Amino acid sequence: MSDQIKFIVDNLNKEPFRKNYNLITFDSLEPMQLLQVLNDVLAEIDPKQVVDIREEMPEQTAKRMLSLLGILKYKPPGNATDMSTFRQGLVIGSKPVIYPVLHWLLQRTNELKKRAYLARFLIKLEVPSEFLQDETVADTNKQYEELMEAFKTLHKECEQLKTSGFSTAEIRRDISAMEEEKDQLIKRVERLKKRVETVQNHQRMLKIARQLRVEKEREEFLAQQKQEQKNQLFHAVQRLQRIQNQLKSMRHAAADAKPESLMKRLEEEIKFNSYMVTEKFPKELENKKKESHFLQKVVSEPAMGHSDLLELESKINEINKQINQLIEKKMMRNEPVEGKLSLYRQQASIISRKKEAKAEELQEAKEKLANLEREVSVKTNQTREFDGTEVLKGDEFKRYVSKLRSKSTVFKKKHQIIAEFKAEFGLLQRTEELLKQRHENIQHQLQTIEEKKGVSGYSYTQEELERVSALKSEVDEMKGRTLDDMSEMVKKLNSLVSEKKSALAPVIKELRQLRQKCQELTQECDEKKSQYDSCAAGLESNRSKLEQEVRGLREECLQEESRYHYTNCMIKNLEVQLRRATNEMKAYVSADQQEKRKAIREQYTKNIAEQENLGKKLREKQKAVRESHGPNMKQVKMWRDFEQLMECKKQCFLKQQSQNSIGQLAPTEEELVTFFLQD
């Protein structure tokens, strides 16, 4: 154990934790702090686990840690029966439970990181078989499985590449080699093109080769489509067979059903649902509201410092002292009424817990029964497909079911007895622990008080003196009694015994008769209960089958309704189109010119004529533009040349004037014009 703690402390002091613990400080950590350390290690493995333990309920913390440890495949030491103690130790932060977990996690941190990363993508979501019957859900699930397989292959390739040891220099060499090969291929293609160009009809031959390649690709695609359609047809045939088998079983179950049995089953379901709605769910809702109110209260309060925590600890110690004083006063008073009431309250709470547990067991049993029925239907279909053998029916099945029912009744009785014993044992064990703890606390407090007062061992000596004095008084009384008193007492006792016997004789006779009746009634009750269980199991199976049939019929009804609405809409659209066509024919055939003008055909012909006239005008305009385009462009070019010539003359004139003397005047406009017009 010391080596284990030393290994844990050494690893916690390293990166990335850096806790700065030693053996003493780590061993003196409180359960809450120890749980926080475990959570920090789990957060290093899976970043989703970064949580402050103080802001989370203990049940949620234990559930979250247990789920992650299950993903990481941690096996707690001991047998499977020790799982409850392991869970309890994880909730309360027990050192014997958390130390092995920390040792196991810190030994293989890198491996567990990889496992947690892969679990995020490779833990498969289980979809019920009834949902997989839908095509969209089945396709989505198939796509999901394909993506999971693709992720596996890609991850393997990535790991192989990481471990293969390829360097950048090798990759660059490969790239350069590939570029050289590319250049060589380009040169070869060019040479082949030059050769092909000399062949007659080479373009036609290349076109035919391209068409051949396209047709081969199309042939492969069509073959793939054909295979897919064959698979879809095979799945559709299998689904049709399953649905037909389900329909036969549902009809068979509906033929055996009776209204009385259905009414009884419905009454039982109503009772169960009313209990869930009126008693269980309101209690759970109240507990959730209290938890949310408490959490809101905690969130609304400001952040607490070290001084606030010390004040709260002092208040808690004072309240604990007051509670201990009140308990001592109550024990000194020895009030029997409160003791009886506490017993009744305890019994009532135990009964309510048992009731809630049974309701939960019933709900789980119903869910298990539905799942098992689905599995049975799937297995029967598989057996029919593979072997062609039928499942047991008729008398053989009834005999088999009767045997199973008898065994199940015995099992239920034994299981119920074991559950009651476990509950009573747990309750008694808990009360024993509480009483021992209370006794030890009281003895410890008494010893501390005696040590403070300077009279240590006083209580022990006082008890011994009282016991000795009681023994002495008893001996003195026995000595003081006389034989006459003893004889009188014997006579009185004999007379009382005879009176009690005479009074109890008729009561004993009645009690014997009642005991016989009780035994007969218990036997009859057991028989009725077994009959009831068998009948309930059969009715439950019939009910589930009927529900499946009703679900299928409802789906068919919805499909037919959608088809009906679709056909109605199509009929209405066709009626509107027919009405428009008849109105058009009437307007077109009528002798009235105004109605003819309202017709769509006349409007379209009018628009066509207008567009034709507009097209003629535009074509004439286009013809004129084409005819005048050449001379106009020549004239534009001449004007541009003229502008360039004028600009050149202007620059030359300005340059000549700048070379003249500074005192001369600037040229006038007439001089500029005469200069530009010179040849």
Side-chain angles (χ1 to χ4, degrees):
M1 190 72 180
S2 61
D3 296 335
Q4 192 180 41
I5 296 170
K6 188 176 179 182
F7 175 80
I8 293 166
V9 171
D10 292 338
N11 281 282
L12 288 174
N13 291 332
K14 295 177 183 177
E15 292 287 340
F17 303 107
R18 287 189 284 179
K19 296 291 185 179
N20 294 325
Y21 288 141
N22 54 29
L23 293 174
I24 297 169
T25 56
F26 181 75
D27 193 51
S28 62
L29 288 175
E30 293 182 358
M32 204 73 179
Q33 295 173 346
L34 198 60
L35 276 174
Q36 186 63 50
V37 171
L38 177 60
N39 191 75
D40 293 339
V41 176
L42 292 173
E44 180 62 25
I45 293 168
D46 187 5
K48 290 183 180 179
Q49 306 295 323
V50 179
V51 177
D52 192 357
I53 298 294
R54 295 172 295 180
E55 297 176 356
E56 193 177 24
M57 296 298 290
E59 293 82 4
Q60 295 177 356
T61 304
K63 188 176 180 182
R64 179 170 54 79
M65 289 183 178
L66 285 170
S67 64
L68 182 59
L69 290 173
I71 291 168
L72 299 176
K73 295 182 180 179
Y74 173 73
K75 293 181 180 179
N79 300 325
T81 56
D82 297 330
M83 281 300 295
S84 60
T85 57
F86 176 73
R87 292 194 190 95
Q88 189 177 3
L90 192 63
V91 170
I92 63 174
S94 178
K95 292 179 182 179
V97 173
I98 292 176
Y99 283 174
V101 179
L102 285 171
H103 186 262
W104 185 79
L105 292 172
L106 293 170
Q107 274 182 337
R108 44 183 71 83
T109 306
N110 296 322
E111 179 187 349
L112 295 175
K113 280 183 182 178
K114 183 178 176 182
R115 188 175 292 172
Y117 168 73
L118 292 175
R120 206 183 310 167
F121 303 102
L122 296 180
I123 291 176
K124 190 176 179 182
L125 297 173
E126 294 296 334
V127 182
S129 58
E130 60 183 3
F131 293 124
L132 289 173
Q133 292 177 2
D134 192 2
E135 292 181 357
T136 56
V137 177
D139 293 337
T140 308
N141 189 27
K142 186 178 178 182
Q143 188 178 3
Y144 166 69
E145 291 176 353
E146 290 174 355
L147 289 171
M148 191 179 287
E149 294 296 327
F151 174 77
K152 288 180 182 178
T153 55
L154 289 172
H155 182 72
K156 287 178 182 176
E157 290 176 1
C158 180
E159 292 293 325
Q160 288 174 1
L161 289 172
K162 284 180 180 177
T163 56
S164 62
F166 283 131
S167 62
T168 56
E170 291 178 356
I171 293 167
R172 284 174 183 169
R173 274 191 241 110
D174 293 337
I175 291 168
S176 61
M178 282 194 244
E179 287 177 352
E180 290 176 359
E181 288 178 1
K182 182 182 175 183
D183 295 334
Q184 291 175 3
L185 288 171
I186 290 167
K187 291 177 183 177
R188 192 180 295 173
V189 169
E190 289 176 354
R191 286 199 300 270
L192 289 171
K193 279 183 179 179
K194 289 177 182 178
R195 285 183 188 176
V196 170
E197 285 175 356
T198 59
V199 180
Q200 293 180 356
N201 298 326
H202 67 278
Q203 292 291 338
R204 186 167 172 272
M205 292 174 74
L206 288 172
K207 188 177 179 181
I208 291 167
R210 285 195 203 96
Q211 289 178 357
L212 179 63
R213 189 178 67 251
V214 171
E215 291 298 327
K216 282 184 178 179
E217 290 176 355
R218 189 182 173 194
E219 185 181 1
E220 290 177 358
F221 178 70
L222 290 172
Q224 189 177 1
Q225 272 190 345
K226 186 178 179 182
Q227 188 63 34
E228 288 179 356
Q229 287 176 359
K230 282 183 179 179
N231 293 329
Q232 288 178 1
L233 180 64
F234 179 69
H235 291 308
V237 170
Q238 284 185 345
R239 188 180 173 193
L240 180 63
Q241 289 177 357
R242 286 198 300 270
I243 291 168
Q244 286 176 354
N245 293 327
Q246 288 178 2
L247 184 62
K248 287 179 183 178
S249 61
M250 287 177 184
R251 284 176 180 171
H252 183 70
D256 296 335
K258 292 182 181 179
E260 292 85 0
S261 60
L262 291 171
M263 288 296 292
K264 285 181 181 179
R265 191 180 66 212
L266 290 171
E267 286 176 358
E268 290 172 359
E269 286 183 357
I270 289 165
K271 287 179 182 178
F272 175 72
N273 292 326
S274 62
Y275 164 72
M276 296 289 285
V277 171
T278 55
E279 294 185 13
K280 187 178 179 184
F281 289 155
K283 288 180 182 178
E284 292 180 355
L285 184 63
E286 286 179 1
N287 293 327
K288 295 292 181 185
K289 284 181 179 178
K290 287 178 182 177
E291 288 179 1
S292 64
H293 180 68
F294 177 72
L295 292 172
Q296 287 175 359
K297 202 172 179 182
V298 171
V299 169
S300 61
E301 289 180 357
M304 298 177 70
H306 187 66
S307 59
D308 297 330
L309 291 172
L310 291 173
E311 288 179 1
L312 287 173
E313 285 179 357
S314 63
K315 287 180 182 179
I316 289 165
N317 292 326
E318 289 177 359
I319 291 166
N320 286 328
K321 287 179 183 178
Q322 291 177 4
I323 289 166
N324 291 327
Q325 290 176 2
L326 291 171
I327 289 167
E328 289 176 0
K329 287 180 182 179
K330 187 176 179 182
M331 290 175 69
M332 292 295 289
R333 288 176 186 171
N334 290 325
E335 294 179 357
V337 178
E338 288 293 328
K340 290 180 181 179
L341 289 173
S342 65
L343 287 172
Y344 290 135
R345 286 171 188 159
Q346 195 173 8
Q347 289 176 359
S349 65
I350 291 166
I351 291 165
S352 64
R353 285 174 195 161
K354 285 183 180 179
K355 195 174 181 182
E356 291 176 357
K358 292 296 177 185
E360 291 176 356
E361 287 178 1
L362 181 60
Q363 191 70 22
E364 291 176 357
K366 284 185 177 180
E367 293 175 357
K368 286 181 182 178
L369 183 62
N371 293 325
L372 289 171
E373 286 176 353
R374 293 192 206 100
E375 289 180 0
V376 166
S377 63
V378 172
K379 296 294 182 185
T380 51
N381 293 326
Q382 289 178 357
T383 53
R384 286 172 185 170
E385 289 173 1
F386 291 122
D387 300 333
T389 57
E390 294 290 333
V391 187
L392 292 175
K393 291 181 180 178
D395 297 331
E396 293 179 358
F397 183 72
K398 286 180 181 178
R399 285 195 293 272
Y400 181 69
V401 169
S402 63
K403 288 180 183 178
L404 285 177
R405 284 173 183 167
S406 62
K407 290 180 180 179
S408 65
T409 52
V410 174
F411 171 74
K412 285 177 182 177
K413 287 178 183 178
K414 301 294 184 184
H415 186 68
Q416 188 176 3
I417 292 166
I418 290 166
E420 290 176 357
F421 284 152
K422 283 182 179 178
E424 290 178 0
F425 176 72
L427 184 64
L428 294 171
Q429 193 174 9
R430 182 62 181 162
T431 51
E432 184 182 3
E433 289 177 358
L434 290 172
L435 291 171
K436 284 181 179 179
Q437 190 176 3
R438 191 181 295 174
H439 179 69
E440 289 176 358
N441 291 329
I442 291 167
Q443 289 292 331
H444 185 66
Q445 290 176 1
L446 187 61
Q447 288 176 4
T448 52
I449 292 165
E450 288 175 355
E451 288 176 358
K452 286 180 182 178
K453 299 293 183 180
V455 286
S456 60
Y458 175 75
S459 60
Y460 179 74
T461 54
Q462 184 69 25
E463 289 176 358
E464 289 292 328
L465 288 171
E466 287 177 356
R467 189 169 63 80
V468 171
S469 62
L471 289 171
K472 186 175 179 301
S473 61
E474 287 177 0
V475 171
D476 292 336
E477 285 178 359
M478 288 174 68
K479 286 180 180 179
R481 288 172 187 159
T482 58
L483 292 171
D484 295 332
D485 294 334
M486 290 174 70
S487 62
E488 288 178 0
M489 286 296 292
V490 168
K491 288 178 182 178
K492 287 180 180 179
L493 288 171
N494 289 325
S495 62
L496 286 169
V497 167
S498 61
E499 288 175 0
K500 294 293 181 182
K501 281 182 179 180
S502 61
L504 289 171
V507 177
I508 290 167
K509 290 180 181 179
E510 292 177 359
L511 182 61
R512 287 173 183 169
Q513 294 176 359
L514 291 172
R515 280 179 180 171
Q516 291 178 356
K517 286 182 181 179
C518 180
Q519 289 177 358
E520 292 173 357
L521 289 171
T522 51
Q523 291 177 358
E524 188 177 357
C525 180
D526 293 334
E527 292 175 357
K528 297 290 184 183
K529 192 174 181 182
S530 63
Q531 292 176 3
Y532 169 75
D533 292 334
S534 62
C535 183
L539 293 174
E540 189 67 25
S541 63
N542 292 330
R543 183 183 69 82
S544 63
K545 290 177 182 178
L546 288 172
E547 283 180 353
Q548 290 178 358
E549 186 178 359
V550 168
R551 201 179 294 114
L553 293 172
R554 281 179 179 171
E555 289 177 357
E556 290 179 1
C557 182
L558 290 171
Q559 290 176 0
E560 295 297 331
E561 284 181 357
S562 64
R563 284 183 193 169
Y564 170 72
H565 292 304
Y566 177 72
T567 51
N568 277 336
C569 292
M570 294 296 292
I571 289 164
K572 287 180 181 178
N573 289 328
L574 292 171
E575 286 177 354
V576 170
Q577 291 177 3
L578 184 63
R579 199 179 299 117
R580 289 173 66 185
T582 53
N583 292 329
E584 183 68 21
M585 288 295 295
K586 285 179 183 178
Y588 182 70
V589 173
S590 67
D592 193 358
Q593 294 296 326
Q594 291 183 355
E595 289 185 358
K596 276 190 176 183
R597 287 173 187 170
K598 291 179 182 178
I600 297 169
R601 184 173 180 179
E602 293 294 330
Q603 292 177 4
Y604 279 131
T605 54
K606 187 178 178 182
N607 290 330
I608 288 165
E610 290 176 356
Q611 294 297 323
E612 285 178 352
N613 293 327
L614 183 62
K616 286 180 182 178
K617 290 178 182 179
L618 290 172
R619 281 193 292 273
E620 290 174 357
K621 193 174 180 181
Q622 185 182 8
K623 187 177 179 182
V625 169
R626 282 178 181 173
E627 290 175 355
S628 62
H629 179 69
N632 289 335
M633 291 300 291
K634 191 181 286 185
Q635 192 175 1
V636 168
K637 188 177 180 184
M638 291 170 68
W639 273 108
R640 284 177 183 167
D641 294 339
F642 179 70
E643 284 179 358
Q644 288 179 0
L645 184 62
M646 291 295 109
E647 186 68 27
C648 183
K649 284 189 175 186
K650 181 181 176 183
Q651 294 294 330
C652 291
F653 180 75
L654 291 173
K655 190 175 182 182
Q656 187 180 356
Q657 290 295 325
S658 64
Q659 289 175 1
N660 293 332
S661 61
I662 299 169
Q664 289 182 352
L665 295 170
T668 61
E669 292 180 357
E670 293 177 357
E671 291 175 351
L672 286 170
V673 170
T674 55
F675 178 77
F676 287 151
L677 293 174
Q678 287 177 3
D679 190 3

